[in-house]
Amino acid sequence: MKTLQLAWRRARRRRALITLLLGLPWALAAATLALRLGGFDIACVVATVGLLACAALATAHARRLDRHWLQRQLDTSGSSEDSADLLFADAATLNPLQQRQRTHVLATLERTMPELPPRWPRSALLLCWLGGLAIALLALGWPRAGGPSAPARAPAAGDRTPAGPLHLQSTRLRVDAPAYTGQPTLTQNALDAKVAADSRLSWSLRFDRAPARAWLQFHDGRQLPLHEQDGHWLAQDVARAPVLYRVVSEPALAETRLHRLDVVADRAPSVRVLEPVSSLVLGTPGQRQWTLRFEASDDYGVAAGAMLSITTTQGSGENITFATRRVALTGSGEASARRFAHTLDLAALGAQPGGDVIAQLEVRDNHAPRPQTARSSSVILRLPTAEVALTAELEGRIKKTLPAYFRSQRQIIIDAEALIRQRRALAADAFVTRSDAIGVDQRILRLRYGQFLGEESEGAAKPPPTSDLPTSDAPTADAHDHGDDHDHDHGGTASSADTPPVFGSATDVLSEYGHTHDHAEAATLLDPQTRATLKAALDQMWSAEGELRQGRPEQALPFAYKALAFIKQVQQAERIYLARVGPELPPIDESRRLGGDRAGLASRELPLAPRTPPDPAIVEAWQRLGDGDGTADLDALASWQQRNAAYLPDALDLAAAIEQLRIEPGCNDCRQRLRAQLWRALQRPLPQVMRRTAADAMGQQYLDALEALP
C-alpha cells in the first residue's frame, strides 16, 4: 500500500509541474508587454498576478487526480483485476473472500506497479515556450509609437522643436540599514521614507525619455546628481539628517513634488536596577553575599558583555580608603532587553563591618563604529559595625517591651468593662484583686501625666485596704496632693531633720541630696489653659483609681471616661509658646534727617530684562504673505530656517512650506500654509493688561451718582 501511495503522490506532483511549465511563458510574455507599455511598476503587478494564476491552476489540476482517478487507472491497467475499490475500503467491513482478493491485489501491485504519472507533453511545452519568448522579444524590440524608424537625415538645428515636459515612469528607493540595526534591506516605490541614521540610500528613476541632466535637489541647497545606466538614473547617498528633496531635470518635469526623508537616530541604552529595590541597603551582621540584578534595553540591541564596577570603602572620618575592581558579566535574554546578574562575595572583596560596597553596571549597545555606553545608578551596601547592630537590636527590644509597662487610659477603660462583664464568673476575692491591679495601672498612668505639672513622684505606697475605707479617704491614702499653689521648703522639715536617713532608701537619699521636682521645667512649657485641663484629667484619674482599688469598677468608669476626654483635649492643645521677637532694625541716624543728602540712595525699581525682538525680516515676510499679491523673499526665509532649525517646533514642515511655494508661486493655499508655519515659528508676545471696556448707559449713570455723593 505504501508503494501505491508514493506512486500516486508522484503523479500529482508531475501534473502540477506540467501545468506550471505550460503557463509560465505566457506570464512572462504578459509581464514584458506591461513593462513596455506601462512601466516597471505595472510590469511587477502583471508578473505577480501571472505567477499566482499559474500556481492556482497547477494546484487545481493536481487535485483532479483524486482517489476515483486512481481506481480508474488501476482498473484500466488490469493490475487490480477490477478490484481497486477494495484497496480503499475498510478491512473490517470486508468478508473473507474480499479480504483475500484485496491481499492478492496488493501483492500484485508490489511486484508490478503500473505507470501512474502522466507523460510529459513535449510538443505542447515547446510550442508554449516558443510563443511566449517570441511575444517577449517582439515587445522589447518593437519600436515606440511615433518614434522615427530610420531617419533619412539628421535634423538641422533650426528644425528642432521644443519637447514637452518629462514624466517619471517608475521610481525605486532602496534602503540598506547599518549592520548593527539588524534590519533587512528595504526596497520601495515611494520616495518618502523613515530610515535609521547612517543608512545607505539608492535611488533608481526612469523617465519617459532621456533628459539632458537630472539631479536631486535638497532643501538646504545641496544637489545630488543622477547618472544614467541602462535607461535608469541612479544616485546614492548616506542618511545623516532629516531632509526634504525633489527630483529636478532638464527639461523640467511635468509634476514636481517634495519628498520627506526622516532619519531616526540611535538612542543610547538604558539600565535599570532590578535587585536590590532601594539604592541604599543596610547589611546584616555576618552577611557573606550580595546579589545584584540589572536589566539593559536598547532600540537596536545591547552588547552581550557588560562591566560591573565594584568599589569598597574602609575606615571612618578622614581615614577612608577606596578599592575599585571591575568584573566582566555576560547577559542573557533578547538583544533588545538583556539581563545581567552577579553575586558578590563580600569576604573576597575585603568588605569589613563599618564599610560600604558600591556597585554600578556599565553596558554598551551595538552601534558602529563607536558604541554608545550607559551606566546604571549606584547601589550601596552598608555593613554595620557590632556596636550599631547591638544598638539597633536593643532599640527593637525596648520598643517591644515598653508598651507592656505603660497602659493607656483607653486600655484601662477596656479592662474595667471586661472585668464588669466577668463578675458572675469570678469569685469575690479574685474580682477585687483584678480590680485592684487595674487601679495600680491607673495610678502609674496618673503619675506619668503628673510629671508634666511638676508633681513629685510617689514612692511605692502600699495599696489601701479593700474594705472599710471611705471614698473621701482614697485620694489621701496613696500620696499627698500638692497643686500649683504649694510653697514648701525643700531644704527639709523638722521630722526629716530629726530622723536619720535609712541606708538603701531611695526616698530618703533623694530628699537629702537631691530635688524631686525633675519635671518642673517641663510644666512651664504648657499654657495655663492646657495646665488646667491636664490637672482636671489627673483629678478624674485619682477618683477612678480610688474606686478601682476598692473593687468598684462600675463607679470608676465615669471618672475614667472624663479623664480620657480631658487627655484628648490636652493632645489637641498648643504645648509650647515661643517668645515673639521683633525685627532688629538698624538705628536711625538722626544727623541725616531732613538734611537733603541723597548719597547712597538707589532706585527701588527692579530692572526689567530686555526682550529679544523677533527678526524684522520674518515679521515682514509674514505680513507680505498676508497680502493678496505680496511676495516674500523665499531665499532669505530658507536661510533663516536653516540657522534656527534647532529652535523651531518642526523645521522640516517650515522648509516644506517654503519649497512648495517656490515650486508653485501662484498657489494661494501654499502661501497660507507658509504663513501659518511662520506664525508658529515667531516668538509669542507677552500678555498685556486688558483695557477696561467703557461703561454702558446704566453703568455711566451709576458712576455719576457715586461722584455726586458728598
Side-chain angles (χ1 to χ4, degrees):
M1 193 66 179
K2 186 177 180 180
T3 306
L4 179 61
Q5 293 288 345
L6 292 177
W8 186 15
R9 252 180 237 168
R10 191 163 52 251
R12 299 183 73 172
R13 285 198 298 266
R14 180 173 294 183
R15 174 59 64 87
L17 184 58
I18 291 173
T19 307
L20 191 62
L21 291 177
L22 289 175
L24 279 179
W26 305 113
L28 176 62
T32 307
L33 288 174
L35 177 64
R36 183 59 187 269
L37 299 177
F40 180 78
D41 297 339
I42 298 178
C44 291
V45 174
V46 172
T48 303
V49 173
L51 291 176
L52 291 177
C54 292
L57 192 60
T59 304
H61 282 186
R63 287 180 177 177
R64 290 181 182 177
L65 306 185
D66 52 3
R67 192 177 64 182
H68 298 288
W69 173 86
L70 180 60
Q71 293 178 7
R72 291 195 302 270
Q73 291 294 114
L74 293 177
D75 292 339
T76 303
S77 63
S79 302
S80 62
E81 300 178 359
D82 294 335
S83 301
D85 54 340
L86 298 178
L87 299 177
F88 301 98
D90 188 4
T93 60
L94 300 179
N95 55 37
L97 182 60
Q98 291 176 335
Q99 292 180 2
R100 185 174 182 180
Q101 178 65 16
R102 182 174 182 272
T103 304
H104 174 69
V105 172
L106 287 176
T108 304
L109 293 177
E110 289 290 340
R111 292 192 304 268
T112 58
M113 177 63 65
E115 187 68 22
L116 293 179
R119 297 181 179 180
W120 291 97
R122 292 184 173 82
S123 326
L125 289 174
L126 182 61
L127 291 177
C128 289
W129 278 97
L130 289 178
L133 291 177
I135 294 175
L137 293 176
L138 288 175
L140 292 177
W142 196 267
R144 296 182 179 273
S149 56
R153 60 181 180 85
D159 296 340
R160 291 179 181 176
T161 58
L166 292 175
H167 293 83
L168 275 174
Q169 283 190 341
S170 63
T171 58
R172 186 174 60 181
L173 175 61
R174 176 176 174 175
V175 181
D176 294 320
Y180 70 86
T181 62
Q183 297 180 354
T185 300
L186 175 64
T187 302
Q188 61 181 24
N189 296 328
L191 297 182
D192 299 270
K194 186 175 184 179
V195 300
D198 299 330
S199 296
R200 189 159 193 84
L201 307 175
S202 301
W203 287 271
S204 177
L205 309 178
R206 186 179 181 88
F207 301 92
D208 57 349
R209 64 177 186 276
R213 190 167 67 96
W215 67 93
L216 300 179
Q217 180 68 47
F218 296 91
H219 77 280
D220 55 0
R222 185 168 58 97
Q223 293 184 357
L224 183 63
L226 294 168
H227 304 284
E228 184 182 7
Q229 182 179 354
D230 298 334
H232 296 271
W233 293 78
L234 311 177
Q236 290 185 352
D237 196 15
V238 178
R240 292 187 174 88
V243 291
L244 294 169
Y245 71 98
R246 53 194 174 95
V247 181
V248 183
S249 64
E250 293 181 359
L253 289 171
E255 181 181 0
T256 302
R257 60 180 297 266
L258 286 173
H259 305 283
R260 180 165 181 162
L261 189 64
D262 290 313
V263 177
V264 181
D266 182 17
R267 298 192 305 268
S270 61
V271 189
R272 184 167 61 96
V273 181
L274 299 180
E275 187 179 349
V277 179
S278 59
S279 58
L280 178 60
V281 181
L282 298 179
T284 58
Q287 182 175 352
R288 295 177 174 270
Q289 294 180 342
W290 189 29
T291 303
L292 302 174
R293 292 174 60 245
F294 304 88
E295 183 182 35
S297 59
D298 188 70
D299 46 1
Y300 295 123
V302 182
M307 196 64 63
L308 180 64
S309 176
I310 308 169
T311 303
T312 56
T313 64
Q314 296 180 1
S316 61
E318 297 181 355
N319 299 324
I320 298 180
T321 59
F322 298 89
T324 304
R325 65 181 63 186
R326 298 170 68 86
V327 179
L329 301 181
T330 302
S332 61
E334 299 180 356
S336 58
R338 294 188 185 275
R339 294 199 172 188
F340 300 87
H342 186 66
T343 301
L344 299 180
D345 188 353
L346 301 181
L349 293 175
Q352 299 179 358
D356 294 342
V357 180
I358 308 170
Q360 189 179 36
L361 185 69
E362 180 179 349
V363 299
R364 298 176 292 105
D365 63 0
N366 297 326
H367 189 276
R370 181 177 300 174
Q372 303 179 91
T373 61
R375 294 183 178 180
S376 68
S377 58
S378 299
V379 289
I380 305 173
L381 173 65
R382 183 155 296 168
L383 300 175
T385 59
E387 294 79 3
V388 175
L390 181 60
T391 304
E393 184 179 0
L394 181 60
E395 182 181 359
R397 290 179 179 177
I398 292 176
K399 288 182 178 179
K400 295 179 180 179
T401 307
L402 283 181
Y405 289 104
F406 296 103
R407 312 287 290 275
S408 66
Q409 186 64 26
R410 189 182 301 276
Q411 186 63 39
I412 291 174
I413 294 174
I414 294 174
D415 293 344
E417 292 178 346
L419 180 61
I420 293 172
R421 290 193 298 268
Q422 298 175 3
R423 176 187 289 274
R424 296 182 180 179
L426 297 175
D429 295 340
F431 181 82
V432 173
T433 302
R434 291 184 57 177
S435 178
D436 180 70
I438 299 175
V440 173
D441 293 339
Q442 181 69 81
R443 172 178 173 271
I444 295 174
L445 184 64
R446 176 178 59 81
L447 294 178
R448 183 185 181 190
Y449 280 104
Q451 295 175 358
F452 294 98
L453 292 179
E455 293 186 353
E456 296 179 358
S457 300
E458 299 181 359
K462 297 181 180 180
T466 57
S467 63
D468 300 334
L469 182 64
T471 307
S472 59
D473 295 337
T476 61
D478 201 8
H480 66 283
D481 181 14
H482 56 288
D484 299 338
D485 56 351
H486 67 281
D487 188 12
H488 57 275
D489 186 8
H490 295 279
T493 61
S495 60
S496 64
D498 298 338
T499 305
V502 181
F503 180 77
S505 176
T507 306
D508 294 336
V509 173
L510 183 62
S511 63
E512 183 176 5
Y513 299 103
H515 191 4
T516 57
H517 282 181
D518 294 337
H519 298 276
E521 296 181 359
T524 61
L525 301 178
L526 303 177
D527 61 281
Q529 182 180 359
T530 305
R531 285 174 54 84
T533 307
L534 185 57
K535 184 66 173 61
L538 294 178
D539 293 341
Q540 299 297 327
M541 290 182 185
W542 182 274
S543 301
E545 177 188 347
E547 299 293 341
L548 289 170
R549 300 294 292 269
Q550 298 180 80
R552 293 194 294 265
E554 294 88 351
Q555 287 79 3
L557 281 179
F559 302 109
Y561 273 112
K562 292 180 180 179
L564 179 61
F566 286 132
I567 291 174
K568 291 299 181 182
Q569 294 180 13
V570 172
Q571 291 176 353
Q572 298 174 0
E574 296 180 357
R575 306 296 178 88
I576 300 176
Y577 275 88
L578 298 178
R580 292 189 176 182
V581 180
E584 298 182 0
L585 300 178
I588 300 176
D589 187 4
E590 299 290 343
S591 62
R592 295 186 59 185
R593 298 189 64 183
L594 304 178
D597 186 9
R598 300 180 59 84
L601 299 181
S603 176
R604 295 186 177 181
E605 296 181 358
L606 296 177
L608 298 177
R611 176 172 172 268
T612 305
D615 194 344
I618 304 304
V619 177
E620 182 182 358
W622 180 81
Q623 293 174 350
R624 285 180 173 273
L625 290 172
D627 301 337
D629 53 351
T631 57
D633 189 356
L634 299 182
D635 294 336
L637 284 178
S639 302
W640 180 83
Q641 181 269 340
Q642 295 176 14
R643 291 194 306 269
N644 301 272
Y647 309 101
L648 296 176
D650 196 339
L652 282 186
D653 283 351
L654 179 58
I658 295 173
E659 292 298 322
Q660 194 63 34
L661 185 59
R662 193 194 303 272
I663 296 173
E664 304 178 26
C667 177
N668 188 37
D669 294 340
C670 303
R671 185 189 305 274
Q672 296 301 324
R673 190 179 303 113
L674 176 57
R675 194 167 187 263
Q677 292 294 335
L678 287 178
W679 176 255
R680 292 180 56 194
L682 289 176
Q683 186 178 5
R684 296 291 184 271
L686 297 177
Q688 303 294 331
V689 178
M690 300 294 294
R691 182 180 296 274
R692 181 179 298 176
T693 57
D696 54 2
M698 183 178 296
Q700 188 63 37
Q701 184 179 0
Y702 175 74
L703 295 177
D704 296 341
L706 289 178
E707 293 179 358
L709 292 176

